[in-house]
Each structure stands twice: as structure tokens, then as C-alpha cells.
Amino acid sequence: MSYRIFLAGASGVIGRRLTPLLHSAGHYVCGSTRSQANADLLRSLGADPVVVDVFDASALSRAVARARPDVVIHQLTDLPKDLNPREMGAAIVRTARIRGEGTRNLVRAAIAAGARRLVAQSIAWAYAPGAEPHAETDPLDTGAEGESGVNVQGLIALEYLTLKSPPLEGIVLRYGQLYGPGTISDQPSNSTSVHVDAAAYAALLATDHGRPGIYNIAQSNRSVAVGKARAELGWTSDFRLPA
């Protein structure tokens, strides 16, 4: 079945891999970006581009309403392309704001536009210390301090808004650390990793697979359990886009 999809953050690392996947699957994609310079790129990938800032609630609501989406996919972050350590402190604060205030604006716009499902990006390495591998029911590290604490608070806000905003069906994808095209590495950086194409594939599947809830999306590892995504989404970490 084909859907109308509003992809927030279509010009990001995952968005650039996800857009052609959605288009090839027969879905209409309205892809958002903050930069007019990215509009032609998104058009070439198969999306109908829209330039909008997630913090401009009125403009965002109008953009989502025009798209008339069945599904809204949230892939928004604000991290430096090279993950420069000198820039990460400020970037974590900006991204936490997106995950809180930005997600709230996106949820309200999605509900007003009549969307049925929201798929949102989270991370799989923010669990509280405890027995491993971590299942999706394990708590996040609410005791984290400093930059890690800011990061976790943003994740908590995003996940709550995604999962507790009826009538939306909320799907949270907790991604491992990304590697592959457009990221800082061609190889996994640690035990909780996922190829960017496999991450995009999980979002494609989540448009119409799986019950509302949280899914760990990572290669097999000792830190997090990934069986739920395999069983309910039909996901595999081996998926790659054609070269």
C-alpha cells in the first residue's frame, strides 16, 4: 500500500538514504529541510521539498497540512557533520531542544493534519547501567549528568511525545551509532552500531509494520537486544541500498 509521508529532516544523514527508499516503495514523500540549498537535492531523491523550521510552529503546521500525510517520520537532529568534539556541546543542546520543543510542534501538526502514525529517531546507547543486553523496556539513564544528561532529557521528551500523543500510533526507533555513506566512518565505531542504510530501512518498515512502541535498531551485539525489530518489523541489519 502506498502512503503520503511527511519526512522531517529529509536532508539529514538518514533522510538522504530514506527518501529514495520511500519513493521506490511507491510512497509520496514531502521532505522538509531548513535550507533552500537542499531543495534541489531532495527533489532529485524523489521528494517534494518544503523549507521549514521545526521551531516555527505555524509554518510547520501549514506545511504538514499541505502534505496531508498518513505517516510523519521524524529524523531531525542538529549535529555537526564531522561530529567535531569542540562543537558537540552546543550541538547536543540544540538537538535536545529539537527533541523536546520541535517534537511537540511536529506532533501537533501531525494530529491536526490527520496523520495516523509517527515514526521518530532515538538512540540505543542511552540506557541506564544494568544487566545487558538492554531490552526496550529497560529505563534510560535519567541519572546522567552534564552533556549526557541534556541528551537523555531530550530523548525522554521525544519518546514521551511520540508514544503518548493519541490518536497517533507512535513508533520510536532507537538507533545504534551510525556508519556508512554520509557519516564519519565507513566501519562500525563500537559494539552498538548500525549502518545508515539499515537505519533508513527500519524507518521504511515502520510506516506500516509493528505495533506502537520502542524498537532497538542495531547490529547484533552484547549491549542491546534487537530481536523485537526483527520479529515485529521484519528488519535486518544487513540491508544496503544499491551502490
Side-chain angles (χ1 to χ4, degrees), residues 66-132:
R66 285 193 297 268
R68 296 181 289 112
D70 302 296
V71 181
V72 173
I73 301 178
H74 179 352
Q75 297 286 356
L76 293 164
T77 61
D78 192 359
L79 302 174
K81 185 175 181 180
D82 58 358
L83 300 184
N84 187 325
R86 291 177 295 181
E87 300 178 23
M88 283 300 292
I92 286 170
V93 172
R94 294 194 303 268
T95 296
R97 183 186 174 206
I98 287 173
R99 288 171 171 157
E101 180 184 344
T103 302
R104 185 178 300 108
N105 291 342
L106 191 59
V107 163
R108 289 172 177 170
I111 292 173
R116 64 168 183 83
R117 177 166 282 209
L118 173 65
V119 179
Q121 173 194 143
S122 187
I123 63 175
W125 65 93
Y127 285 104
E132 296 181 344

Side-chain angles (χ1 to χ4, degrees), residues 191-208:
S191 61
T192 309
S193 296
V194 65
H195 193 279
V196 65
D197 289 355
Y201 183 50
L204 169 69
L205 292 171
T207 60
D208 59 3

Side-chain angles (χ1 to χ4, degrees), residues 226-238:
V226 297
K228 182 180 178 183
R230 291 173 176 167
E232 296 196 26
L233 300 180
W235 179 75
T236 172
S237 63
D238 297 328

